[in-house]
């Protein structure tokens, strides 16, 4: 498992979201849950996808992974602890990938994610 510590992204008026660089192994990203710290989300930077991914721990104990690409005009999204925001045109998405403010209306691309033995596994497709 190849992990490289990244920086903490600070968005004015929003909670910070930690980021790491990670390599896919056999089409799967494996992230130790400890990487989240006390946060509910972490940005994953990988060469396996053209945009960053946001890995999320939901309050009910489940996990998810979202491609940080706006569905309006394919621009990179900014992540916060409460959702994603498109700085280009103002679209917003919740942590499940649903559009909450336009102009985007389509949900974000999601990836299958599971938590096993303290490791978040995200299957890329």
């Amino acid at each position: 498992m190849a992990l490289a510590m990244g920086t903490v992204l600070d968005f004015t008026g929003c909670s910070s979201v930690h980021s790491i660089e990670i390599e896919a192994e056999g089409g799967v990203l494996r992230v130790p849950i400890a990487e989240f710290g006390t946060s509910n989300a972490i940005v994953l930077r990988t060469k396996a996808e053209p945009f960053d991914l946001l890995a999320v721990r939901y309050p009910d104990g489940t996990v998810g992974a979202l491609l940080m690409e706006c569905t309006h005009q394919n621009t990179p999204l900014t992540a916060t602890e409460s959702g994603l925001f498109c700085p280009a045109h103002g679209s917003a998405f919740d942590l499940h990938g649903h559009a909450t403010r336009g102009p985007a209306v389509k949900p974000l691309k999601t990836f299958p994610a599971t938590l096993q033995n303290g490791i978040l596994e995200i299957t890329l497709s």
Side-chain angles (χ1 to χ4, degrees):
M1 174 174 5
L3 292 178
M5 294 304 293
T7 59
V8 173
L9 304 176
D10 185 24
F11 305 112
T12 305
C14 301
S15 299
S16 299
V17 178
H18 179 71
S19 70
I20 61 170
E21 292 185 29
I22 185 169
E23 293 180 26
E25 298 173 0
V28 177
L29 298 176
R30 291 178 179 84
V31 183
I33 202 71
E35 287 288 342
F36 282 81
T38 59
S39 177
N40 67 332
I42 188 170
V43 174
L44 305 176
R45 297 206 162 113
T46 178
K47 294 177 185 174
E49 289 293 329
F51 290 85
D52 293 343
L53 278 70
L54 185 69
V56 182
R57 288 191 302 186
Y58 299 111
D60 66 0
T62 60
V63 291
L66 310 167
L67 188 64
M68 293 176 58
E69 175 185 14
C70 185
T71 57
H72 173 237
Q73 289 190 342
N74 308 91
T75 55
L77 296 172
T78 299
T80 72
E81 288 282 330
S82 60
L84 297 110
F85 172 76
C86 181
H89 300 106
S91 294
F93 301 85
D94 66 17
L95 291 176
H96 291 278
H98 302 111
T100 58
R101 183 173 62 227
V105 293
K106 294 181 186 176
L108 299 177
K109 179 178 179 179
T110 61
F111 297 89
T114 58
L115 185 58
Q116 297 176 350
N117 301 320
I119 304 292
L120 171 63
E121 292 190 358
I122 300 167
T123 303
L124 304 175
S125 53

